[in-house]
Amino acid sequence: MIGRLNHVAIAVPDLAAAAATYRDVLGATVRPPQAEPDHGVTVVFIELPNTKIELLEPLGENSPIAAFLAKNPSGGIHHVCYEVEDILAARDKLKAGGARVLGTGEPKIGAHGKPVLFLHPKDFMGTLVELEQV
Ligand code: CO
């Protein structure tokens, strides 16, 4: 059901410093920051030849990554994003198999302007999983 790895997301306490590390130390192509107030994050995408890295910094008071950064103050891998062709079919199949979908269970529009859902980390070996319809 899942397809390509779309991105790996890393929560960071300082987006500008993290973006500079990817650009200057690792020599990667770094996109400009995008504020995503609906998701409580500011995002920088790093373009790699085969996938992307999504750097996430908290935005606003109730950021969903604030607790993660409190536990991991220097940052850390926050989620992986897999591509699916039909997000509603994928969701229904996962739910039928007992997997938990976070939030309302309805897809939201993600940072790429495409529908996304998140799956409970306890059902996937401690890894928060994002599904993105492509
Ligand atoms: Co993501």
Side-chain angles (χ1 to χ4, degrees):
M1 178 172 59
I2 60 169
R4 292 178 356 128
L5 173 68
N6 185 275
H7 59 270
V8 174
I10 303 175
V12 302
D14 182 337
L15 193 58
T21 297
Y22 268 86
R23 185 181 56 240
D24 302 335
V25 180
L26 295 173
T29 301
V30 175
R31 300 291 172 209
Q34 298 169 227
E36 301 285 344
D38 290 351
H39 295 271
V41 290
T42 304
V43 181
V44 164
F45 281 105
I46 314 295
E47 301 279 354
L48 303 181
N50 63 338
T51 190
K52 294 184 279 289
I53 303 295
E54 179 183 80
L55 301 176
L56 301 173
E57 182 185 63
L59 175 65
E61 291 299 306
N62 297 309
S63 175
I65 65 168
F68 180 91
L69 277 171
K71 279 186 241 162
N72 303 277
S74 56
I77 294 178
H78 183 263
H79 65 266
V80 294
C81 177
Y82 302 123
E83 297 179 355
V84 293
E85 284 183 11
D86 181 337
I87 200 163
L88 295 177
R91 175 197 65 186
D92 292 346
K93 187 173 181 196
L94 285 157
K95 282 175 84 171
R100 287 165 284 183
V101 177
L102 299 187
T104 63
E106 293 307 313
K108 277 187 166 184
I109 298 303
H112 304 108
K114 294 178 176 160
V116 302
L117 280 175
F118 286 90
L119 306 176
H120 202 297
K122 286 194 174 147
D123 296 330
F124 296 97
M125 288 69 69
T127 305
L128 179 60
V129 174
E130 180 179 19
L131 298 180
E132 180 175 299
Q133 179 170 294
V134 293

